């Protein structure tokens, strides 16, 4: 287990003499907050935040980030609040902790959690992290450290969880580490994912690579020696390293060329060489010397110095026919480039007396993050955002140019249409033809790195549904879908208006005698907010004009008959039967409320607080009347014998109804009761009992006892009631 002294020693290695009191205090708090908690491995839970903090120190991050690493699970897994963290450790630490804390929606016991719900929650958590990292990149660095340690201990999770976590890591977190240039984290995450997703392939490939590396040791030393001599003869000071590709990278290459592990000898760059010199000029000079020594393989040279990757990775890559006519890959870079390649974004952070001052906002390579933020704003559906995230930002990339020489980064397989939408939405919408390297090409042409792309537009051009089959980027797909949806919606609105006017005439009514605002007001059960929504729902066939008019005419008739009656008399016309509330409270609760390990126990809902599924509940063992079920916030609990309280939970709650008392305060007006009863009915609830009183200052006070399925159902009813004109407050009462 990592110790505090090990973390502090690592910090002092890159921030010598700094005051580490903040980290030491965070350690003390983390030890106290996680005291008694144990990981699935059996280790004390504190071992996890300690490992996370050490990984962050290995990334050479600042003190607030390492303190946040120690506290990153505190809000999620203990009783501390963000406000307390802010007070004790400052705003920076609190913001980072908040950024990595998962969104928590307490599960509703009345509902089953589906895989679809889990995917939505996963997408929302990733969206939250992306938003937080747009304000402070340290959020994602803590999350990466957290995920790295969780992957290192993944063996203790059940198999289905191992696969789920590994898949998410491979699709989201490893590529994010790559985008941030932290290559050692990316490589380790990928290899760990490979191990759990494809265990047999991992085991076999690991064995085969190990055999080849051992057999090649003499050759590796020979090549290194020749390269060192080459540098010395030409007065260049530098280092030469031999490195083995990480396993997942080799596996991907096998898949790319449709090879199997038995064909491993066909992959020539399992072992590569890295030459590290001092200046950019020496990089190009070394390249020339290497090509003079060994013939280069045509088409196998890449210049990432003049054209850096989006994560600011810079290096020269070349493949040559080395000693014994074997193909070898050689990378040439400066010391600074090597630091950036390994440390990524952390290499750009500046420190002064242990204080973090990030200059990342000035770096062009973070343009991808700006695009990410833009994408998450456009795609409100979290799952659609997640899919676009995987599609747009984590594939292999190509680099193409505008006619002015600006670089546009696109995924492999991108087309001129993707390019057009990357330049500007309107350029995409109005694109009529494309020229690549001054030659006219079809819109589905596959672009290549180095292409110069020119787009011609026309004001008369509009997107076609067929374009969705051409584009590959999430940005282009979302822009085209938005345009098509707007066009489709407008057509439905016009059709809906036409159909409603026809139905009005068919009913012998005059279109001018019916106010649009009344149609909307009396159609609240369809959640209609404006006339466009009304016409769209009719035009798309989701509701019929006959339904709307029937609703309108019925409620209008009720209002007209009630207008002359005092509001107290209107209540009597609701037809509510006495005794319904009591009947619901005494219904059979078998299987609705359960105690672990206990069967055939008599339960009843406490009349003092009337709990419903979704409420936090506790049981009280009564004398001779079984277990009385109370809400956690029931005021009567404080007067009960605590030794007779027992943990209970909701069981099978489907197809049952529960009485709830709600109190509504309104500004009195004609038709108010009709509106309220209509909304309750439209929300699929019955009124069991109603009481009302009015005051001289034009206030109306309603007490309704209504029937609901669960807390979510009640929240929906309350939300709909607040939409009624004149409603001032809606409150659930305990009794």
């Amino acid at each position: 287990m990592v110790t505090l002294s090990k973390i502090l020693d690592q910090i002092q290695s890159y921030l010598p003499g700094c005051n580490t009191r903040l980290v030491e205090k965070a350690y003390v708090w983390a030890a106290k907050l996680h005291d008694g908690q144990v990981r699935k491995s059996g280790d004390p839970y504190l071992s996890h935040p300690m490992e996370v903090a050490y990984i962050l120190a290995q990334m050479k991050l600042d003190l607030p980030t390492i303190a946040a690493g120690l506290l990153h699970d505190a809000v999620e897994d203990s009783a501390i609040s963000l406000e307390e963290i802010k007070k004790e450790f400052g705003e920076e630490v609190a913001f980072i902790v908040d950024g990595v804390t998962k969104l928590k929606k307490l599960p509703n016991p009345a509902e089953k959690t589906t895989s679809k719900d889990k995917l939505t929650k996963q997408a929302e958590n990733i969206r939250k992290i992306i938003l937080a990292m747009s304000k402070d990149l340290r959020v994602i660095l803590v999350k990466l450290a957290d995920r790295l340690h969780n992957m290192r201990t993944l063996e203790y999770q059940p198999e289905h969880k191992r696969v789920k976590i590994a898949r998410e890591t491979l699709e989201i977190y490893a590529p994010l580490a790559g985008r941030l240039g932290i290559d050692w984290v990316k490589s380790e995450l990928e290899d760990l994912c490979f191990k759990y997703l494809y265990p047999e392939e991992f085991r076999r490939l690991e064995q085969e690579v190990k055999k080849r590396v051992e057999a090649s040791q003499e050759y590796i030393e020979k090549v290194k020696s020749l390269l060192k001599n080459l540098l010395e003869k030409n007065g260049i000071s530098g280092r030469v390293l031999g490195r083995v590709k990480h396993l997942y990278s080799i596996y991907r290459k096998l898949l790319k060329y449709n090879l199997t592990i038995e064909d491993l000898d066909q992959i020539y760059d399992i072992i590569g060489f890295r030459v590290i010199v001092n200046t950019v000029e020496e990089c190009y000079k070394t390249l020339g010397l290497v090509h003079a020594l060994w013939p280069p393989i045509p088409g196998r040279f890449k210049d990432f110095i003049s054209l850096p990757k989006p994560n600011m990775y810079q290096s020269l890559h070349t493949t040559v026919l080395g000693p014994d006519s074997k193909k070898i890959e050689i990378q040439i870079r400066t010391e600074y480039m090597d630091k950036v390649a390994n440390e990524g974004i952390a290499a750009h952070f500046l420190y002064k007396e242990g204080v973090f001052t990030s200059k990342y906002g000035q770096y062009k390579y973070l343009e991808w993050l700006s695009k990410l933020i833009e994408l998450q704003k456009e795609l409100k559906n979290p799952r659609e955002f997640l899919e676009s995230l995987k599609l747009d930002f984590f594939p292999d990339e190509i680099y193409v140019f505008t006619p002015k020489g600006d670089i546009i980064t696109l995924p492999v397989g991108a087309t001129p249409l993707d390019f057009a939408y990357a330049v500007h939405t309107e350029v995409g919408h109005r694109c009529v033809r494309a020229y690549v390297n001054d030659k006219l090409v079809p819109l589905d042409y596959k672009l290549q790195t180095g292409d110069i792309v020119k787009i011609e537009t026309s004001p008369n051009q509009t997107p076609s549904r067929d374009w969705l089959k051409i584009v590959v980027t999430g940005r282009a797909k979302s822009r085209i879908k938005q345009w098509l949806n707007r066009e489709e919606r407008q057509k439905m609105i016009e059709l809906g208006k036409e159909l409603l006017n026809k139905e009005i005439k068919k009913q012998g009514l005059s279109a001018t005698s019916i106010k649009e605002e009344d149609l909307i007001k009396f159609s609240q059960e369809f959640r209609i907010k404006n006339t466009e929504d009304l016409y769209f729902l009719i035009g798309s066939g989701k509701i019929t004009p006959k339904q709307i008019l029937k609703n309108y005419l019925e409620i209008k008739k009720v209002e007209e008959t009630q207008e002359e009656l005092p509001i107290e008399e209107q209540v009597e016309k609701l037809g509510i039967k006495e005794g319904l509330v009591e009947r619901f409270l005494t219904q059979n609760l078998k299987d609705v409320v359960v105690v672990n390990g206990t069967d055939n126990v008599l339960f009843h809902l406490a009349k003092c607080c009337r709990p419903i599924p979704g409420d936090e509940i506790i049981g009280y063992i009564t004398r001779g009347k079984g277990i009385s079920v109370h809400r956690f916030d029931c005021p009567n609990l404080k007067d009960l014998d605590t030794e007779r309280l027992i943990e209970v939970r909701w069981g099978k709650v489907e197809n049952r109804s529960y009485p709830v008392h709600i109190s509504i305060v309104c500004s009195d007006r004609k038709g108010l009761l009709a509106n309220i009863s209509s909304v309750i009915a439209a929300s699929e609830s019955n009124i069991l009992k109603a009481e009302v009183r009015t005051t001289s200052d034009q206030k109306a006070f309603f007490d309704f006892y209504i029937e609901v399925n669960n807390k979510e159902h009640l929240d929906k009813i309350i939300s709909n009631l607040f939409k009624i004109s004149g409603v001032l407050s809606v409150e659930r009462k305990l009794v």
Side-chain angles (χ1 to χ4, degrees), residues 518-524 551-552 555-556 559 675:
D518 282 345
L519 282 174
I520 296 165
K521 185 170 72 174
F522 299 145
S523 303
Q524 288 180 3
N551 221 35
Y552 170 81
I555 296 177
K556 202 74 175 166
E559 280 198 350
N675 289 163

Side-chain angles (χ1 to χ4, degrees), residues 403-440:
K404 292 182 179 178
D406 295 325
I407 300 171
I408 302 289
T409 305
L410 294 167
V412 169
T415 65
L417 262 182
D418 290 298
F419 175 90
Y421 278 101
V423 172
H424 194 278
T425 301
E426 280 304 305
V427 175
H429 285 347
R430 308 300 171 192
C431 173
V432 288
R433 62 183 64 87
Y435 292 87
V436 174
N437 305 325
D438 293 327
K439 292 181 181 178
L440 182 66

Side-chain angles (χ1 to χ4, degrees), residues 251-268:
Y251 182 66
R252 281 184 64 190
K253 186 155 276 195
L254 287 171
L255 294 179
K256 181 179 178 181
Y257 295 112
N258 293 317
L259 300 174
T260 65
I261 294 174
E262 285 72 25
D263 304 315
L264 192 58
D265 287 331
Q266 295 185 42
I267 305 296
Y268 59 83

Side-chain angles (χ1 to χ4, degrees), residues 621-660:
I621 303 171
T622 66
R623 299 185 190 279
K625 294 183 180 178
I627 294 176
S628 175
V629 181
H630 294 258
R631 284 164 52 178
F632 253 92
D633 56 355
C634 177
N636 289 343
L637 286 178
K638 68 179 186 298
D639 300 322
L640 299 178
D641 181 357
T642 56
E643 291 187 1
R644 293 164 66 187
L645 293 175
I646 185 171
E647 283 190 22
V648 296
R649 59 182 171 82
W650 295 106
K652 297 176 183 176
V653 295
E654 300 92 343
N655 304 318
R656 289 181 182 266
S657 301
Y658 305 84
V660 171

Side-chain angles (χ1 to χ4, degrees), residues 45 69 86 132 189 227 286 292 374 426 467 556 573 616 646 655 695 697:
Y45 195 88
K86 186 175 178 180
L189 285 175
L227 287 170
T286 302
E374 187 181 344
E426 280 304 305
W467 284 10
K556 202 74 175 166
K573 290 189 172 287
E616 288 190 85
I646 185 171
N655 304 318
T695 57
D697 61 349

